[in-house]
Amino acid sequence: MSAVKKLQSIVSPPQQVLHAGSPEQWEEVQLELGFRFPGDFMSCIDTYGSGLFGGFLSLISPFRWDVEGYLSALELRLSTYRESHEEYPEDCPFPAYPEPGGLLPWGFTENGDTIYWLTTGEPDTWTAVVVDSKDTECEHFDLSVSAFLHEWLCRRIQPRIFPHNAPSPDRPLFRTSY
């Protein structure tokens, strides 16, 4: 079973998916951005769109804004990480995208933390790195986007920087956000 199907087994997709893309739109945005998204991420966006997982974690959909808005959202998170990487390379050992093996943001938390891809190898092999917004702590998970979400929502993984009550037991596993 694919990781997205496993995620769907515990989190029902919304009735109305916001900020998803057609195959043509995915192709167009990837050409404009100059990189290819992991298929797992594209499936996750097309299944759930913009929203909040576990009352805490949101995906960064390239269809929530125009390409310039999406690039601005990425650059804001990348510039913050770049500064931490330069100042604390022992705590933030990965370079920032577009450097080879650099971190590229795919999600963020209500606390301002960012979840990145470690862009080593082909996009479908990229894995998750959680970076604390207030500290320089990085934590690597050898998981795709939907596998990370599934394992976290099932409480099989708990990033050190996430609050112990996340995912929140009193919030829906997914809520659409505008």
Side-chain angles (χ1 to χ4, degrees), residues 6 12 32 34 49 63 65 75 90-93 95 106 120 126-127 131 139-140 153 155 168:
K6 283 177 80 172
S12 298
E32 287 186 54
F63 304 109
W65 310 274
E75 188 51 43
E90 65 283 350
D91 294 330
C92 301
W106 61 258
T120 302
W126 293 353
T127 55
V131 179
E139 190 172 3
H140 181 245
L153 291 167
R155 296 186 174 272
S168 176

Side-chain angles (χ1 to χ4, degrees), residues 35-112:
F35 64 85
R36 205 167 51 84
F37 288 101
D40 173 79
F41 175 74
M42 293 188 295
S43 293
C44 212
I45 290 291
D46 290 342
T47 301
Y48 296 98
S50 292
L52 195 62
F53 286 91
F56 187 66
L57 193 155
S58 297
L59 302 178
I60 303 172
S61 172
F63 304 109
R64 188 168 185 164
W65 310 274
D66 60 16
V67 170
E68 283 184 31
Y70 178 72
L71 286 172
S72 293
L74 294 185
E75 188 51 43
L76 176 66
R77 293 185 181 280
L78 283 170
S79 65
T80 301
Y81 177 77
R82 237 179 241 111
E83 289 173 19
S84 296
H85 173 67
E86 289 169 7
E87 196 166 338
Y88 306 101
E90 65 283 350
D91 294 330
C92 301
F94 309 106
Y97 188 83
E99 290 184 47
L103 297 185
L104 179 63
W106 61 258
F108 59 93
T109 70
E110 293 293 289
N111 289 352

